[in-house]
């Protein structure tokens, strides 16, 4: 109960993910009571007038019933969707904090692996839940997923038949996604979260450098009652914000899309943000195909949707071990956080990865960008293809240079002190700016230079030369 937890705001990102997951579980259990994951065709006769008499699947019919005929159904359904978006975003932000501060180093490599696995499972869980309503938008996403399955060499058709229960669209995929969404994936997520928290308690928290902080201790709020009280406050804040968003901000209005039909598609269709990079990679890839021994290799789907995500996650899994091996830190435990500027190469690689992800995300909306700014889709695609190659390199070099410049400036300020804005003239006629000792610093920053009481911090002007002796 007296275990210390650091107080810095960046350590709360993991808690945001945890409390978003709690909202997902609570709202998901309620939605499960009313959702029917069937693909049998029915005629809609609910209260949403524009769709009355339209043929649709039982899944879409029950989604409309939750939204319009069950008290509080739309509120909880939208809260569930918003919580899913925040959950994935919080995990991503938490991983970025861990990466840029070096908190993945020994003895926390396994916790990093668990965190990356949670991120992958959260994306899969979000996609499965997003596909359940069987509306035109989510059905288009399933069609893209089927094309990715077909791009797998040799086994593609078998995988597609297994997932969809026959020829696309089949009659089994919604039921199978439902089982994944409410049982298998949540079970794996909860189990990994429990293991993750146990390891956090066992390995203790990292913390920023500062007075009284060392590898052997952690300074912060004790678990009970201080940290418990602030954490509960954060929990209710997350609950309140998500419910407020659900009440005033519309999300995923499936009734405007209509039920899914394989012969229809809507313009400007966008998936949830966390799979937007996959959409962008598919749009970025040229239409390349190769025929080998009677088999067609669909490079335009296989490379961007299978190989690229696999490489990205492989890099994430391997990075802690690779960095520690290259830097020689694998044999010693690290409990103090790095500031990003202190690791220019790591920070540059992280920013390059973010820029790469941003390019793919932009390309995922190239049609919307083209329509909004009245620019050719082909022009946008070619610009982003070039940016896909060059932008991460420029981002890496620029970030590394900026980190080194910040470190140099910081050392200068620590050595000379902070400028006061006052300028004075020396006895020799020169001018110099006045400095004062550095009194405040950000978490993790090196300690200011200690000066003698009454001494002036800074580089003093050279003393005036002694007068030369005169001959008498």
């Amino acid at each position: 109960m007296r275990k210390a937890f650091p107080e810095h705001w960046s350590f709360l990102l993991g808690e945001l993910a945890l409390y978003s997951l709690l909202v997902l579980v609570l709202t998901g259990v309620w939605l499960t009571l009313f959702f029917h994951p069937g693909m049998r065709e029915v005629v809609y006769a609910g209260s949403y007038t524009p769709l009355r008499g339209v043929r649709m699947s039982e899944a879409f019919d029950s989604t409309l019933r939750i939204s319009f005929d069950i008290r509080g159904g739309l509120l909880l359904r939208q809260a569930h969707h918003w919580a899913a978006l925040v959950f994935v975003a919080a995990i991503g932000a938490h991983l970025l904090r861990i990466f840029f501060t070096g908190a993945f180093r020994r003895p926390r490599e396994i916790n990093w692996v668990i965190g990356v696995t949670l991120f992958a499972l959260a994306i899969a869980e979000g996609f499965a839940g997003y596909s359940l309503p069987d509306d035109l938008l989510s059905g288009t996403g399933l069609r893209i997923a089927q094309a990715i399955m077909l791009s797998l060499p040799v086994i593609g058709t078998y995988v597609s038949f297994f997932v969809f229960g026959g020829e696309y669209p089949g009659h089994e995929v919604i039921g199978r996604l439902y089982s994944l969404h409410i049982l298998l994936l949540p079970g794996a997520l909860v189990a990994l979260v429990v293991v993750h928290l146990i390891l956090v308690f066992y390995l203790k928290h990292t913390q920023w450098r500062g007075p009284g902080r060392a590898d052997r201790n952690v300074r912060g709020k004790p678990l009970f009652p201080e940290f418990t009280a602030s954490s509960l406050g954060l929990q209710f804040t997350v609950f309140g914000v998500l419910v407020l968003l659900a009440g005033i901000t519309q999300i995923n209005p499936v009734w405007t899309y209509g039920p899914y039909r394989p012969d229809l598609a809507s313009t400007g269709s966008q998936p949830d943000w966390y799979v937007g990079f996959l959409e962008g990679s598919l749009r970025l890839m040229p239409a390349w195909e190769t025929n080998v021994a009677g088999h067609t290799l669909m490079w335009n789907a296989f490379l961007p949707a299978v190989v690229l995500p696999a490489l990205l996650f492989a890099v994430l899994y391997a990075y802690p071990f690779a960095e520690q091996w290259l830097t020689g830190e694998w044999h010693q435990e690290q409990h103090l956080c790095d500031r990003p500027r202190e690791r220019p190469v790591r920070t540059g690689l992280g920013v390059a990865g973010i820029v790469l992800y941003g390019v793919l995300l932009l390309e995922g909306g190239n049609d919307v960008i083209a329509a909004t700014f009245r620019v050719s889709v082909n022009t946008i695609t070619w610009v982003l293809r070039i940016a896909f190659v060059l932008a991460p390199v420029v981002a890496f070099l620029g970030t590394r240079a900026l980190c080194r410049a910040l470190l140099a400036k910081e050392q200068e300020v620590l050595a000379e002190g902070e400028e006061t804005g006052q300028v004075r003239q020396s006895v020799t006629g020169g001018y110099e700016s006045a400095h004062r000792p550095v009194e405040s610093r950000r978490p993790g920053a090196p300690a200011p230079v200690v000066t003698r009481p009454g001494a002036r911090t800074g580089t003093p002007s050279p003393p005036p030369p002694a007068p030369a002796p005169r001959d008498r």
Side-chain angles (χ1 to χ4, degrees):
M1 292 291 100
R2 301 300 298 171
K3 180 177 176 61
F5 284 80
E7 301 181 40
H8 194 261
W9 65 267
S10 63
F11 292 93
L12 301 178
L13 295 172
E15 292 186 52
L16 290 179
L18 177 63
Y19 296 139
S20 300
L21 177 61
L22 185 56
V23 174
L24 281 170
V25 171
L26 294 175
T27 55
V29 168
W30 188 90
L31 291 171
T32 303
L33 303 176
F34 302 98
F35 181 74
H36 184 67
M39 297 189 72
R40 184 175 62 89
E41 193 174 69
V42 298
V43 177
Y44 181 68
S47 59
Y48 185 66
T49 305
L51 288 179
R52 281 183 184 172
V54 175
R55 293 183 177 274
M56 59 185 63
S57 66
E58 291 176 308
F60 190 70
D61 179 78
S62 64
T63 303
L64 293 179
R65 185 163 55 88
I66 291 172
S67 301
F68 295 108
D69 299 323
I70 295 176
R71 185 181 297 275
L74 182 60
L75 178 70
L76 290 180
R77 182 176 155 265
Q78 295 199 147
H80 188 75
H81 202 122
W82 277 114
L85 300 184
V86 173
F87 177 57
V88 183
I91 294 178
H94 183 56
L95 285 173
L96 288 176
R97 198 277 298 178
I98 297 294
F99 178 84
F100 284 116
T101 61
F104 52 76
R105 294 171 296 180
R106 185 181 179 188
R108 298 176 180 83
E109 300 97 333
I110 300 302
N111 240 1
W112 169 265
V113 170
I114 291 175
V116 174
T117 305
L118 282 170
F119 187 58
L121 289 176
I123 293 175
E125 172 75 342
F127 180 77
Y130 173 81
S131 304
L132 289 181
D134 198 31
D135 58 284
L136 183 58
L137 186 61
S138 65
T140 303
L142 279 177
R143 182 60 165 171
I144 295 173
Q146 193 243 0
I148 296 172
M149 296 174 198
L150 290 176
S151 72
L152 297 172
V154 182
I155 64 172
T157 53
Y158 298 98
V159 172
S160 176
F161 266 66
F162 173 76
V163 171
F164 289 91
E167 193 70 47
Y168 182 87
H171 297 282
E172 305 292 338
V173 63
I174 296 298
R176 292 173 178 177
L177 286 174
Y178 185 67
S179 299
L180 283 173
H181 185 67
I182 70 167
L183 183 61
L184 298 179
L185 291 176
L189 282 169
V190 172
L192 286 177
V193 166
V194 171
V195 174
H196 182 74
L197 293 177
I198 290 174
L199 287 176
V200 168
F201 268 80
Y202 178 73
L203 299 173
K204 80 177 185 178
H205 266 285
T206 55
Q207 61 181 343
W208 295 105
R209 290 190 299 270
R213 298 175 182 178
D215 285 333
R216 64 183 180 273
N217 69 351
V218 176
R219 300 194 64 180
K221 296 179 180 178
L223 175 62
F224 185 84
E226 286 88 345
F227 180 79
T228 301
S230 61
S231 186
L232 285 175
L234 178 63
Q235 172 187 325
F236 290 121
T237 300
V238 172
F239 283 19
V241 169
L242 290 176
V243 174
L244 181 64
L245 280 173
I248 65 176
T249 309
Q250 181 175 268
I251 189 170
N252 197 26
V254 296
W255 53 89
T256 64
Y257 311 140
Y260 177 65
R261 282 176 46 184
D263 60 326
L264 294 180
S266 59
T267 58
S269 58
Q270 302 291 309
D272 281 343
W273 73 267
Y274 46 84
V275 289
F277 80 100
L278 195 61
E279 176 84 8
S281 64
L282 286 167
R283 298 187 185 193
L284 205 65
M285 183 70 185
W288 292 349
E289 293 182 356
T290 304
N291 292 315
V292 179
H295 295 279
T296 301
L297 298 179
M298 301 166 52
W299 301 115
N300 55 332
F302 182 68
L303 288 180
V306 178
V307 175
L308 179 62
L311 285 176
L312 291 177
F313 275 96
V315 169
L316 289 176
Y317 278 118
Y319 187 85
F321 307 97
E323 181 187 288
Q324 292 182 102
W325 179 71
L326 291 172
T327 59
E329 295 177 340
W330 59 271
H331 61 280
Q332 57 186 357
E333 294 188 355
Q334 304 284 344
H335 299 288
L336 297 177
C337 292
D338 294 326
R339 292 181 304 154
R341 68 182 64 181
E342 295 170 345
R343 299 282 182 149
V345 174
R346 179 204 297 157
T347 304
L349 291 174
V351 173
I354 293 173
V355 169
L356 180 70
Y357 179 87
V359 170
L360 295 177
L361 197 62
L362 282 175
E363 177 62 15
N366 61 355
D367 53 342
V368 177
I369 296 174
T372 303
F373 296 100
R374 299 187 179 184
V375 182
S376 168
V377 173
N378 292 331
T379 300
I380 295 174
T381 299
W382 274 106
V383 168
L384 292 177
R385 282 174 179 170
I386 297 171
F388 179 79
V389 177
L390 297 182
V393 177
V394 173
F396 170 78
L397 296 175
T399 302
R400 187 180 62 175
L402 178 61
C403 289
R404 291 173 175 174
L406 288 172
L407 282 175
K409 178 62 177 178
E410 187 176 70
Q411 293 301 320
E412 178 186 340
V413 171
L414 288 175
E416 299 184 1
E418 297 176 335
E419 293 185 1
T420 62
Q422 298 176 348
V423 179
R424 53 178 172 239
Q425 187 176 19
S426 65
V427 294
T428 60
Y431 292 91
E432 61 180 15
S433 60
H435 295 74
R436 61 170 176 267
V438 177
E439 298 176 351
S440 61
R441 60 195 179 109
R442 303 184 68 177
V449 178
V450 179
T451 57
R452 301 186 310 275
R456 179 173 63 84
T457 299
T459 303
S461 301
R470 291 185 300 171
D471 293 334
R472 293 183 180 272

